[in-house]
């Protein structure tokens, strides 16, 4: 493919908005912030949107990055996002959510899980808190097994398997999610510790182990219905999620 020549304005505008984060495998390119007004329960709220991409190549030559990335077939791959709110970089106590993408729950509003509810609710809690960030993790579909495999797992669940059994029957570990990149992006955006919105102690442990500076946990239950009762029970009984009522655990 022929190399596109970008004009200087394009380069200077984008250069300021693309950050290189070096990783063990290569680099993360973080683009943003971009002002993103969002309709949140009928109110318009302005978030700062960032998006990131992993790349083997580490280069400070931004023309080369823009050229390479704009010609890559990125629509075939999902990219992860951050929606930051308020003074996320410097505020003393920010709350964050590491949200695993859920195509059926977030986009279609599926009642088979509580993801769509948790997504909106965590955005609301961030706004009410005054500052924080939602990390929308695009390679976490179906706890990291992908959308097609999740569809197959749902078929098994319609045939008496629970969430954990279904994933295992398809040859997957119960939870294949990795938070390393998200933590690196978080550290590029903020140095101070954060409070994590989650019901999942394993996630809390994983993030602590990966070096995330944490001050506490905030629970995020809700939207229980006949369609996801069994799914939520499995989360508690099989995956060790903390039941509602044990709202805030401090462990600093
Ligand atoms: Zn879901």
């Amino acid at each position: 493919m022929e190399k596109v020549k970008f004009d200087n304005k394009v380069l200077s505008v984008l250069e300021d908005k693309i950050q290189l984060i070096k990783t063990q495998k290569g680099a993360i390119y973080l683009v943003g912030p971009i002002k993103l007004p969002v309709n949140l329960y009928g109110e318009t709220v302005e978030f700062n949107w960032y998006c990131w991409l992993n790349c083997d190549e580490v280069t400070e030559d931004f023309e080369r990055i823009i050229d390479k990335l704009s010609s890559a077939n990125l629509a075939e791959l999902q990219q992860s996002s951050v929606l930051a709110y308020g003074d996320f970089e410097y505020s003393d106590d920010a709350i964050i959510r590491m949200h695993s993408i859920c195509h059926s729950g977030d986009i279609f509003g599926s009642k088979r899980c509580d993801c769509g509810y948790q997504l909106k609710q965590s955005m609301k809690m961030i706004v009410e808190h005054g500052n924080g960030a939602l990390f929308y993790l695009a390679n976490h579909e179906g706890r990291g097994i992908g959308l097609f495999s999740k569809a197959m797992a749902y078929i098994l669940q319609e045939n008496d398997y629970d969430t954990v059994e279904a994933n295992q029957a398809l040859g997957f570990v119960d939870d294949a999610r990795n938070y390393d990149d998200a933590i690196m992006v978080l550290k590029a955006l903020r140095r101070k510790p954060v409070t994590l919105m989650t019901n999942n102690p394993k996630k809390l442990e994983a993030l602590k182990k990966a070096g995330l500076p944490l001050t506490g946990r905030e629970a995020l239950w809700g939207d229980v219905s006949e369609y996801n009762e069994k799914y939520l029970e499995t989360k508690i009984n099989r995956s060790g999620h903390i039941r509602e009522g044990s709202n805030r655990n401090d462990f600093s």
Side-chain angles (χ1 to χ4, degrees):
M1 195 180 286
E2 188 145 326
K3 194 168 188 270
V4 191
K5 234 0 209 159
F6 297 99
D7 75 47
N8 284 339
K9 186 173 177 196
V10 171
L11 290 175
S12 73
V13 166
L14 289 177
E15 218 170 318
D16 285 345
K17 294 274 191 176
I18 298 178
Q19 207 183 130
L20 166 72
I21 304 167
K22 285 183 186 151
T23 69
Q24 281 176 336
K25 302 158 282 180
I28 292 169
Y29 295 96
L30 179 68
V31 61
I34 300 136
K35 283 192 170 65
L36 198 71
V38 167
N39 180 343
L40 193 61
Y41 299 108
E43 288 199 29
T44 305
V45 179
E46 197 172 275
F47 283 89
N48 283 318
W49 174 42
Y50 300 80
C51 178
W52 81 80
L53 189 71
N54 282 88
C55 197
D56 297 336
E57 188 180 330
V58 184
T59 173
E60 309 260 7
D61 177 354
F62 281 89
E63 186 163 17
R64 176 159 169 75
I65 296 163
I66 296 162
D67 185 33
K68 184 175 176 178
L69 299 183
S70 59
S71 61
N73 197 10
L74 296 182
E76 296 289 340
L77 306 160
Q78 280 277 15
Q79 285 98 60
S80 295
S81 280
V82 185
L83 287 181
Y85 183 79
D87 184 8
F88 183 60
E89 187 173 0
Y90 297 111
S91 63
D92 283 333
D93 55 339
I95 54 171
I96 66 159
R97 167 81 182 154
M98 292 278 182
H99 187 85
S100 297
I101 188 173
C102 177
H103 194 104
S104 47
D106 300 339
I107 297 173
F108 301 147
S110 162
K111 304 280 282 179
R112 288 185 67 139
C113 57
D114 56 350
C115 304
Y117 171 85
Q118 287 189 322
L119 175 64
K120 275 291 167 83
Q121 188 60 23
S122 60
M123 288 167 73
K124 188 173 167 237
M125 284 164 73
I126 288 166
V127 172
E128 280 169 358
H129 182 76
N131 59 72
L134 169 80
F135 288 72
Y136 192 77
L137 307 174
N139 58 352
H140 279 193
E141 182 68 66
R143 298 183 189 176
I145 70 175
L147 190 57
F148 192 90
S149 299
K150 186 168 100 173
M152 292 196 291
Y154 271 12
I155 294 171
L156 294 182
Q157 286 171 42
E158 287 176 352
N159 290 275
D160 304 324
Y161 290 76
D162 71 27
T163 323
V164 176
E165 289 164 351
N167 283 10
Q168 285 168 350
L170 290 169
F172 296 109
V173 292
D174 169 36
D175 198 330
R177 291 175 291 188
N178 178 294
Y179 296 93
D180 292 350
D181 291 347
I183 290 173
M184 294 202 73
V185 171
L186 169 62
K187 286 180 169 173
L189 296 175
R190 177 185 167 88
R191 295 249 149 238
K192 291 181 178 176
V194 291
T195 293
L196 184 72
M197 281 180 272
T198 185
N199 303 318
N200 184 352
K202 279 188 195 160
K203 193 192 256 185
L204 202 75
E205 265 322 301
L207 289 167
K208 257 205 300 189
K209 250 191 213 141
L212 183 76
L214 282 166
T215 42
R217 183 181 77 87
E218 193 79 56
L220 201 58
W221 291 111
D223 197 35
V224 181
S225 73
E226 59 184 297
Y227 306 104
N228 63 17
E229 243 168 9
K230 200 168 164 229
Y231 163 86
L232 294 174
E233 276 302 309
T234 303
K235 270 188 171 180
I236 292 164
N237 297 331
R238 302 288 306 270
S239 305
H241 284 228
I242 301 160
R243 195 183 285 275
E244 196 164 13
S246 49
N247 235 12
R248 215 183 216 281
N249 293 356
D250 286 310
F251 49 82
S252 45

